Amino acid sequence: LYTAGTPNGQNLSMTLEQLGLNYETKHIDISKNTQKEEWYLKINPKGRIPAIIDRTESAEGKRREKRVFEGMAIMLKFTSARNMIGHMSSRTLSIAISEYWEIVEWMTWMKSGIANCFYRYAPEKIEYAINRYQTETKRLYGVLNSHKTKAEGGGPWIVGDKLTIADIACFSWVN
């Protein structure tokens, strides 16, 4: 797993740990633009973290190497392959298709909105930009809290009554 100590990197580590997978971590120093180096761009042409080399054996028992980049894609790949997109703690895919798509909706919601760290890592602090993104982040926290309050049972989970990758994806950003 090529990653850094950012929310994008944290949610991948949490997912792989929940799945009980063995993996190695290689720290990518984003402050030194390691992710823009030629060797890394072969793994992730976008030049961002996270990325991973999947060395899972094929159904025929052959060892293969497949690069996977973008946090959501990595989470979906590894949980789908193990039938654990839904309730990770039960280690089964015991969810309805509508629940699956709700998980994807919340993961997409997270990536398109709440996972914006523009103001956090910007080299120049621009008041307008900071205010805009902080206001939007507060609004999105309200959306999430409102959803969880209205969700069936009003429990701690975003979808259903158990931990899913939607919870992990959002947790690292709201924590």
Side-chain angles (χ1 to χ4, degrees), residues 1-15:
L1 174 64
Y2 298 89
T3 190
T6 66
N8 274 337
Q10 293 166 352
N11 63 31
L12 262 293
S13 294
M14 288 188 289
T15 299

Side-chain angles (χ1 to χ4, degrees), residues 22-39:
N22 293 322
Y23 65 98
E24 296 173 14
T25 302
K26 173 139 176 70
H27 175 74
I28 301 298
D29 190 341
I30 57 178
S31 69
K32 294 181 179 174
N33 274 332
T34 304
Q35 75 279 13
K36 304 296 183 190
E37 294 176 6
E38 187 175 332
W39 71 269

Side-chain angles (χ1 to χ4, degrees), residues 60-76:
E60 298 81 36
K62 294 181 182 177
R63 192 124 181 131
R64 61 181 177 184
E65 289 196 357
K66 164 77 173 101
R67 73 174 186 187
V68 187
F69 57 91
E70 292 298 324
M72 191 167 140
I74 297 168
M75 292 175 86
L76 288 168

Side-chain angles (χ1 to χ4, degrees), residues 9-164:
Q10 293 166 352
N11 63 31
L12 262 293
S13 294
M14 288 188 289
T15 299
L16 296 173
E17 291 293 325
Q18 281 292 315
L19 293 172
L21 297 177
N22 293 322
Y23 65 98
E24 296 173 14
T25 302
K26 173 139 176 70
H27 175 74
I28 301 298
D29 190 341
I30 57 178
S31 69
K32 294 181 179 174
N33 274 332
T34 304
Q35 75 279 13
K36 304 296 183 190
E37 294 176 6
E38 187 175 332
W39 71 269
Y40 187 77
L41 293 172
K42 291 177 184 174
I43 299 167
N44 184 347
K46 187 177 177 185
R48 303 272 172 90
I49 61 110
I52 195 166
I53 303 295
D54 179 11
R55 294 183 175 94
T56 307
E57 286 187 9
S58 68
E60 298 81 36
K62 294 181 182 177
R63 192 124 181 131
R64 61 181 177 184
E65 289 196 357
K66 164 77 173 101
R67 73 174 186 187
V68 187
F69 57 91
E70 292 298 324
M72 191 167 140
I74 297 168
M75 292 175 86
L76 288 168
K77 181 191 186 325
F78 283 99
T79 56
S80 294
R82 287 154 186 83
N83 292 333
M84 292 187 240
I85 282 179
H87 303 158
M88 295 186 73
S89 59
S90 66
R91 307 277 190 210
T92 61
L93 183 62
S94 59
I95 61 171
I97 195 74
S98 61
E99 204 171 39
Y100 166 84
W101 285 112
E102 189 174 358
I103 289 168
V104 172
E105 288 168 1
W106 281 103
M107 291 179 71
T108 304
W109 173 84
M110 179 275 303
K111 289 302 280 184
S112 64
I114 209 158
N116 192 321
C117 56
F118 172 79
Y119 73 90
R120 213 184 272 182
Y121 299 108
E124 183 181 345
K125 305 300 179 195
I126 301 168
E127 188 175 344
Y128 167 78
I130 292 170
N131 290 338
R132 177 178 175 205
Y133 287 104
Q134 286 181 339
T135 299
E136 179 64 359
T137 298
K138 288 175 188 174
R139 186 187 75 78
L140 292 172
Y141 284 179
V143 169
L144 183 59
N145 284 333
S146 176
H147 165 73
K148 290 175 53 155
T149 301
K150 293 175 185 172
E152 186 178 323
W157 312 114
I158 295 173
V159 179
D161 61 355
K162 293 187 176 126
L163 177 70
T164 70

